[in-house]
C-alpha cells in the first residue's frame, strides 16, 4: 500500500523524514568485476572488448564488425514504423530548438583599470553516448543525449549500444541518425565504457561519456571519472504531483502510473490539500492498473514507494517539495505559476492540467535527463553546457600589472609562495 | 633534469605521448578508513567528529566549541598584517565583480504552437566549503570558493577548516569574513566532509561541498558524491607557457617556478619555436632556484616533470596544447590572441608578457580553481553556475496538448510504455 500521510498528524515531521530517507535502490556491488574489465580493455584493446561481448551479449565480433555501418542504419530506418519515425522527427526538431537557446555567449570586457578579462566557451572535442540495449532501449533518450552535444558543437559524437544476440532496436538507430551521431558501435557494458574512455585501435577515445546504464555501466563511469568527464549517475526516477480540488483525479492517477511503470524503484507522490482528491486518485490508480500492460512493475512501485500526502493548506507544499527535490514536479492547482515560484528544488516543472510529464519525456523540447533521488537540490538536467567548457581569459599590460602587482606580491608572500611573488616583481622591476 | 623534446626528432610523437601519460600523483589508498569515518559520523554525529578531531588534530572540542565565534574571527582579523588585509580586500572586490557577470538569466518563451517553455536558475540552498589547514591554508582559496557561492545567492555557506593543535590561520578567517561565509567550524578531514554531507546535531547538512583537501578529503568527497554535490577532485597543478623569441626568459623562468613551488607533483612546460629562448629559460630557472625559499619543492617538480619542447613553428603549438589541456596556459608571443583563438583546451589563458599566472591566482578577478591533470578537455574552472541549478519549465494548454499529444502517444507506444501514452490520451479524450 502507498504511504498515507497527513500534515496534521502529530508525527508528520518524523513520518515525512522517513519517506525522504527511504532508499529505493539496491546497489549491486560489481566494482571488482568492473575494475578487472577496464584493466583488460586498457591492456588488450579490441580483443578484450570482443571477448566480453561474446561472453555477455552472445555476439561474435571482429574489429571490422564492431561499428554499425551506414547501410545498416539506413536499413534499420527503413524498417521503422512511419508514425513512430515522424514522431521522432518532431521530437528531434523541438529538442533542437529548445537547446539552441541554451548556447552560452562568450564574455570579454575591459575593467576600469584597463585589464582585459572574461571567458570563452568551447565544445568538448569528442563525446561518448551510452545507450542501453534490450528492454530499456529508448530512442527518445538517444535524442535527449545526442542533440545537446551536437547543438554545443561537439565535432565527434560516438554512440555505443549493446546488441544482445545481435539484435538492435531499429528506432534507436534511426534516432542516432536524426541526432547526427558520428559513429555507432554494437558494444555495451563496462567494456564499452572502458573503450570510450581509453580508446582501442578501432575506437578513438572520447573526453566525456554520458547516458544511462545498468550497475556495471554506472560503476564503470564512476571508475573512469577524472580520466574523462561523465554526466550524473542516474538513479530511480520520481514524480511529485501537487494538486488541489480543481484537478482531475483520473489524469493525476495516469501521471503517477506513467512514472511507476518505468521501474519498481520509481516513486510517485501526490501532495494535495484535498482529502477527497487523494481518495479519488487512489481509486483511479487501482482502476487504471487493471488495464496496464506493465501493471506488475507499476503496481509494485506504487505499493512500495507511492505516497499520498494531505496538507492543511497548499502553503505547506513548497518546503516539503524542496526537501523531496523531485526529478519531475507537476503542479495542477488553480494558480500553478505562483506556487512554482515558491519552490526551489525540482528537475523539471510541468504546469497546469494539460502538461502531463510524458509530453516533456518526448516532445516538449526540454531535456528528459534530469536529476534523480533528491539531487535536484544541487544539480540540473542535461543541457548544452554539459557538452562545453569555459576557459577564462586574462590580459594585463604594463600599467595594469603595475596597478595589481603589489597586492599579488603581498598575497603571495602572505601565503609563503615566494616564487609567485617573484613572478610579478621580476616584471615590475622592468616597468 | 626536465624533459627536452624537439618536434623535429623522429620519435617526437611517442615521446610527447609518454610525457602526456606520465602520472604525477601517487593516490594513497585511504578509502577503507574514510568509509569507516563517514559511517561513524553518520551513526554518532558530533561525538564522532570530536573523537577524530582529538585524534588527528590533537584538539579537544565540545559541541559548543566546534564553531568559530564571531569574536574569534574579529580578533583574528585584528591580528592580520594591514597590507595583506588590504590586498585581500582588493582581491575580493575584483573576484566579486568578475563573477557577478557570470550570473545566468532565466529563459521563458512561447513557441509557435503556443507552448510555454524555458528554464529558471536557483541558488543551491546550503553549500559547504572545505579549507585545508596547516601549510596549505590559502586565504585566496577561501575567496575563490566562497565568493561565487555568495554571488550565486546561496543563503547558507558553511566553512570547515582543521586547526591542528588549535592553530588557525588568521588571514583565512579574515578571508571568510570578507567573503560573507555564514558559519565556520574548526574541523577537517573525512569527518568534516561527513558532517557537512549528513549533518550532526551541531552542523546542519549542506547540499554541495567544494574546496581542495588531502587524500582523505578527496576520498570522502568521492564517497558522499550523489548524496550531496561536489566540485571536481583537484589533482596536481600545471602551467604551459607558449613563447616565441620576443619573450623575456627570466620572466618565463619565474612563471615556471611559481607553478613548480606549489608541489613536487606540479608540472611546468615551455613550448617555443626558439631554441635560444629554451636554453636561456633553462639557465634562468637554475639561477632563480638558488634564491628560492621553496627551492627543494620547486626544484624537484622541475627536474621530475618539467619539460622544454622546441617546435619547428608555432603552428605546431595548438594541437599539442589541446592534448596537454593545461590548467594554466600563458601565451607570450607576438600575436598571443590569434594563437589563443586556435586552442580549444585550457583552464585559463594568460595573454602577453605582463600577465603572469600569479595575477590570476590572486587579484585578476577570474577564478583560480581550475581543471587539472588534462581535465580542461571536458571541464571548467569554478564559477557561479557551480552554485546554482537549472529547473526546466513546460506548460501546455488544451490546444498545445492536442498538437503534441499524438507524437507523444506514438513514442510512448513505440517504447512499450503504455502508461506514458495513456497519461496523454486520457486528457485528449476530454478535449
Amino acid at each position: 500500500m502507498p504511504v498515507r500521510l497527513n500534515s496534521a498528524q502529530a508525527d508528520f515531521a518524523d513520518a515525512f523524514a522517513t519517506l525522504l530517507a527511504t532508499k529505493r535502490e539496491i546497489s549491486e556491488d560489481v566494482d571488482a568485476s568492473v575494475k578487472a574489465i577496464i584493466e583488460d580493455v586498457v591492456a588488450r584493446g579490441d580483443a578484450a572488448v570482443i571477448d566480453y561481448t561474446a561472453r555477455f551479449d552472445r555476439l561474435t565480433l571482429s574489429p571490422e564488425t564492431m561499428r554499425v555501418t551506414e547501410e545498416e542504419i539506413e536499413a534499420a530506418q527503413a524498417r521503422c514504423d512511419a508514425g513512430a519515425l515522424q514522431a521522432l522527427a518532431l521530437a528531434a526538431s523541438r529538442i533542437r530548438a529548445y537547446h539552441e537557446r541554451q548556447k552560452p555567449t562568450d564574455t570579454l570586457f575591459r575593467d576600469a583599470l584597463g585589464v582585459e578579462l572574461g571567458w570563452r566557451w568551447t565544445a568538448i572535442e569528442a563525446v561518448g553516448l551510452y545507450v542501453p540495449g534490450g528492454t530499456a532501449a529508448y530512442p527518445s533518450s538517444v535524442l535527449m543525449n545526442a542533440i545537446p552535444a551536437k547543438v554545443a558543437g561537439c565535432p565527434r559524437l560516438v554512440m555505443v549500444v549493446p546488441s544482445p544476440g545481435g539484435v538492435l532496436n531499429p528506432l534507436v538507430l534511426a534516432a542516432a541518425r536524426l541526432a547526427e551521431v558520428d559513429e555507432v558501435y554494437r558494444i555495451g557494458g563496462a567494456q564499452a565504457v572502458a573503450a570510450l574512455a581509453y580508446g582501442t585501435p578501432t575506437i578513438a577515445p572520447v573526453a566525456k561519456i554520458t547516458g544511462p546504464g545498468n550497475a556495471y555501466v554506472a560503476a564503470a563511469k564512476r571508475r573512469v571519472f577524472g580520466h574523462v568527464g561523465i554526466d550524473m549517475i542516474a538513479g530511480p526516477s520520481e514524480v511529485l504531483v501537487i494538486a488541489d480540488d480543481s484537478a482531475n483525479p483520473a489524469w493525476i492517477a495516469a501521471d503517477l502510473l506513467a512514472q511507476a511503470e518505468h521501474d519498481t524503484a520509481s516513486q510517485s507522490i501526490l501532495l494535495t490539500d484535498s482529502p477527497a482528491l487523494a481518495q479519488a486518485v487512489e481509486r483511479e490508480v487501482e482502476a487504471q492498473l487493471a488495464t496496464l500492460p506493465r501493471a506488475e512493475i507499476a503496481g509494485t512501485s506504487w505499493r512500495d514507494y507511492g505516497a499520498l500526502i494531505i496538507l492543511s493548506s497548499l502553503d505547506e507544499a513548497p518546503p516539503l517539495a524542496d526537501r523531496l527535490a523531485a526529478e519531475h514536479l507537476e503542479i495542477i492547482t488553480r494558480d500553478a505559476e505562483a506556487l512554482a515560484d515558491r519552490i526551489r528544488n525540482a528537475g523539471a516543472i510541468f504546469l497546469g492540467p494539460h502538461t502531463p510529464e510524458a509530453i516533456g519525456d518526448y516532445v516538449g523540447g526540454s531535456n528528459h535527463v534530469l536529476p534523480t533521488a533528491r539531487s535536484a537540490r544541487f544539480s540540473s538536467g542535461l543541457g548544452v553546457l554539459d557538452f562545453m567548457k569555459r576557459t577564462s581569459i586574462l590580459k594585463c599590460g604594463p600599467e595594469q600589472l603595475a596597478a595589481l602587482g603589489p597586492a599579488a606580491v603581498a598575497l603571495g608572500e602572505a601565503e609563503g609562495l615566494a616564487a609567485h611573488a617573484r613572478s610579478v616583481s621580476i616584471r615590475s622591476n622592468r616597468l
Side-chain angles (χ1 to χ4, degrees), chain A:
Chain A
M1 300 294 284
V3 172
R4 289 188 196 80
L5 301 180
N6 190 312
S7 67
Q9 72 195 70
D11 65 343
F12 178 72
D14 286 347
F16 186 78
T18 302
L19 178 71
L20 268 185
T22 306
K23 285 253 176 293
R24 289 183 284 132
E25 211 176 16
I26 305 118
S27 47
E28 240 181 297
D29 193 5
V30 298
D31 194 50
S33 334
V34 164
K35 179 167 185 280
I37 293 171
I38 293 173
E39 286 169 358
D40 198 20
V41 172
V42 169
R44 296 197 300 130
D46 289 335
V49 173
I50 289 168
D51 285 354
Y52 291 112
T53 304
R55 193 191 310 174
F56 297 129
D57 295 342
R58 308 172 312 282
L59 178 68
T60 308
L61 292 179
S62 69
E64 292 69 37
T65 57
M66 276 165 58
R67 185 161 173 180
V68 180
T69 64
E70 263 312 300
E71 294 69 37
E72 282 179 89
I73 296 172
E74 274 173 39
Q77 201 173 345
R79 282 204 312 282
C80 291
D81 171 76
L85 269 186
Q86 211 171 0
L88 209 57
L90 174 67
S93 80
R94 292 187 57 85
I95 295 164
R96 196 169 287 122
Y98 181 92
H99 287 82
E100 283 286 351
R101 293 181 183 248
Q102 289 185 341
K103 285 173 80 167
T105 49
D106 295 346
T107 298
L108 202 67
F109 61 100
R110 195 185 285 266
D111 69 14
L113 292 178
V115 180
E116 288 174 54
L117 61 183
W119 55 87
R120 130 192 134 178
W121 290 91
T122 43
I124 295 176
E125 56 201 355
V127 169
L129 163 55
Y130 192 95
V131 176
T135 53
Y138 295 139
S140 59
S141 285
V142 174
L143 302 184
M144 293 292 180
N145 279 274
I147 291 174
K150 279 295 169 185
V151 168
C154 297
R156 179 168 169 257
L157 180 53
V158 184
M159 177 172 131
V160 293
V161 53
S163 67
V167 179
L168 282 172
N169 179 336
L171 214 50
V172 161
L173 293 182
R177 185 165 227 219
L178 262 175
E180 299 168 40
V181 169
D182 299 289
E183 303 164 25
V184 181
Y185 298 93
R186 61 186 106 237
I187 58 173
Q191 60 274 18
V193 174
L196 288 172
Y198 291 96
T200 74
T202 301
I203 306 174
V206 301
K208 184 165 185 170
I209 301 174
T210 72
N214 63 17
Y216 286 82
V217 172
K221 280 169 67 182
R222 266 187 200 271
R223 282 221 159 247
V224 301
F225 172 51
H227 183 74
V228 298
I230 62 167
D231 63 344
M232 64 193 98
I233 306 282
S237 194
E238 65 258 343
V239 71
L240 170 65
V241 180
I242 304 179
D244 62 17
D245 62 5
S246 72
N248 179 323
W251 297 5
I252 292 178
D255 297 353
L256 296 175
L257 287 171
Q259 188 60 54
E261 77 171 338
H262 269 295
D263 190 324
T264 54
S266 288
Q267 184 167 48
S268 304
I269 301 178
L270 172 65
L271 273 184
T272 181
D273 60 349
S274 163
L277 180 82
Q279 211 169 27
V281 165
E282 200 172 359
R283 269 196 312 267
E284 268 292 337
V285 165
E286 293 304 328
Q288 293 183 25
L289 264 173
T291 59
L292 202 62
R294 293 166 69 94
E296 202 171 315
I297 292 170
T300 303
S301 155
W302 176 243
R303 282 189 302 275
D304 289 354
Y305 301 116
L308 299 156
I309 305 178
I310 313 283
L311 307 176
S312 307
S313 149
L314 283 182
D315 285 336
E316 298 169 359
L320 299 175
D322 278 343
R323 289 174 66 194
L324 287 164
E327 183 190 12
H328 307 104
L329 170 61
E330 291 188 1
I331 306 183
I332 309 180
T333 60
R334 286 191 184 75
D335 194 353
E337 275 89 348
L339 194 53
D341 285 346
R342 293 163 60 196
I343 293 172
R344 180 192 288 269
N345 299 336
I349 300 179
F350 305 88
L351 291 165
H354 299 95
T355 319
E357 185 220 306
I359 290 290
D361 284 342
Y362 293 123
V363 290
S366 52
N367 208 292
H368 79 196
V369 181
L370 294 167
T372 57
R374 304 188 60 221
S375 63
R377 290 172 301 134
F378 54 80
S379 62
S380 311
L382 199 66
V384 169
L385 294 186
D386 294 300
F387 298 100
M388 305 187 78
K389 66 260 175 3
R390 197 179 55 224
T391 298
S392 63
I393 314 269
L394 190 63
K395 183 179 184 181
C396 293
E399 295 75 21
Q400 290 77 41
L401 185 61
L404 293 178
V409 170
L411 288 171
E413 284 171 355
E415 293 189 349
L417 297 174
H420 279 61
R422 185 191 278 168
S423 73
V424 175
S425 59
I426 199 172
R427 287 161 159 97
S428 313
N429 295 345
R430 289 273 193 121
L431 293 179

